[in-house]
Amino acid sequence: MSVLQRLLRSPEGAIGLAILCLLAATAMSAGAFFPRDPLSIVGPALVPPFSDMAFPLGTDRLGRDVLAELVHGSRASLMVGIAAAAVALVVGALVGTLAGFAGGLIDEALMRIVDAFQVVPAFLLALAFVSVAGASLPVVVLAIALGAWTAPARLARAEVLSIRERDYVAAARVIGMRPLEIALREVLPNALAPVLALSSVIVASSVLIEAALSFLGLSDPNIVTWGSMIAEGRNVLRSAPFLSIVPGIALMLTVLGVYLFSEGLGQALAGRKART
């Protein structure tokens, strides 16, 4: 039985995969269904949900379509989550591999850098970085990755420590491969599997951190995000709570889908490993 079949047989994996597929399809089709700028004013202000079929989820304080903002906001959430996870995994895997394979002073120095980054909570680190560097999408991605790369680095180092003394690594040394070449071509690919398992957790936390930064106004004002939508609804929470509730539900479902998918994928991979 393939990993995909095992994933779909798991309730967590099937539900998580369905949520993520729906989110991805929504993000990719945002321009087709809502070609107009989601920040443009299209109707009267504060139209309640389901009261006007032209605006199924209502409008905000400025008369902008909440559904259009929600759909376009999914793009930003996915983009930030996947990009931050990719940067964190690449940097963490490289640092962990170099530290574990080199050992000695290099290992000690790199691990002390990892410790220094781990001391500061990820959100506070992102908050400080964005406050200094300015609010833009690339800066937000880099800020989130700064607090997320340490876990992949530690896991990659642990894997490399168990791999570097194996026979194929010794054979690579015998045939004259350079240490850096051995680390990147022979050791790193075999240490990646457990590191990649962290990707779903990093994506979920990245989405939450981006939403928190947007809520505080530390995001690109020209891009719709779910966090900025929640912040926009904060000022009229008593009279129009749907402005914060709708993006809040979308955010909750996204994180839930990522975690369920991670659980199902873990079970599928564990079942495959047990059979082999």
Side-chain angles (χ1 to χ4, degrees):
M1 187 181 298
S2 66
V3 173
L4 179 59
Q5 290 174 322
R6 291 181 183 279
L7 178 67
L8 294 177
R9 287 171 67 95
S10 164
E12 297 93 341
I15 295 173
L17 183 61
I19 293 174
L20 293 181
C21 288
L22 178 62
L23 179 64
T26 300
M28 289 187 292
S29 61
F33 287 107
F34 300 99
R36 182 181 297 180
D37 183 358
L39 294 176
S40 60
I41 298 174
V42 295
L46 298 178
V47 174
F50 311 116
S51 62
D52 186 345
M53 293 313 297
F55 313 109
L57 295 181
T59 60
D60 64 7
R61 293 188 307 159
L62 299 177
R64 298 175 296 198
D65 188 353
V66 173
L67 180 59
E69 290 183 292
L70 187 72
V71 171
H72 280 271
S74 65
R75 278 183 172 181
S77 295
L78 274 183
M79 189 184 305
V80 169
I82 294 174
V87 173
L89 289 172
V90 169
V91 173
L94 288 175
V95 171
T97 299
L98 293 176
F101 190 78
L105 290 177
I106 295 178
D107 183 18
E108 192 69 21
L110 290 175
M111 286 301 102
R112 295 298 73 79
I113 295 174
V114 171
D115 291 339
F117 275 88
Q118 280 192 315
V119 167
V120 184
F123 175 69
L124 293 182
L125 186 61
L127 183 63
F129 188 84
V130 174
S131 299
V132 172
S136 66
L137 208 58
V139 171
V140 170
V141 169
L142 183 57
I144 295 172
L146 279 176
W149 69 273
T150 54
R154 286 196 173 278
L155 187 55
R157 176 181 177 270
E159 287 294 313
V160 170
L161 287 175
S162 67
I163 290 174
R164 67 180 184 179
E165 300 302 330
R166 294 184 181 176
D167 292 341
Y168 65 87
V169 178
R173 290 193 182 100
V174 169
I175 64 175
M177 291 180 66
R178 290 173 296 177
L180 185 60
E181 188 178 5
I182 296 173
L184 297 180
R185 293 185 58 183
E186 302 294 334
V187 176
L188 178 57
N190 292 288
L192 275 181
V195 176
L196 292 176
L198 289 174
S199 59
S200 58
V201 177
I202 296 176
V203 169
S205 62
S206 299
V207 170
L208 289 176
I209 293 175
E210 186 278 328
L213 292 173
S214 298
F215 181 80
L216 296 174
L218 295 174
S219 65
D220 191 336
N222 298 315
I223 297 177
V224 179
T225 66
W226 290 341
S228 63
M229 292 178 66
I230 295 173
E232 173 69 21
R234 172 183 54 185
N235 299 313
V236 288
L237 195 58
R238 290 176 179 266
S239 58
F242 67 91
L243 292 180
S244 292
I245 291 175
V246 169
I249 291 174
L251 187 62
M252 179 195 69
L253 288 176
T254 301
V255 176
L256 178 64
V258 171
Y259 275 113
L260 288 177
F261 177 77
S262 176
E263 285 290 320
L265 184 60
Q267 294 176 12
L269 293 174
R272 182 180 181 182
K273 185 176 180 180
R275 283 184 171 272
T276 55

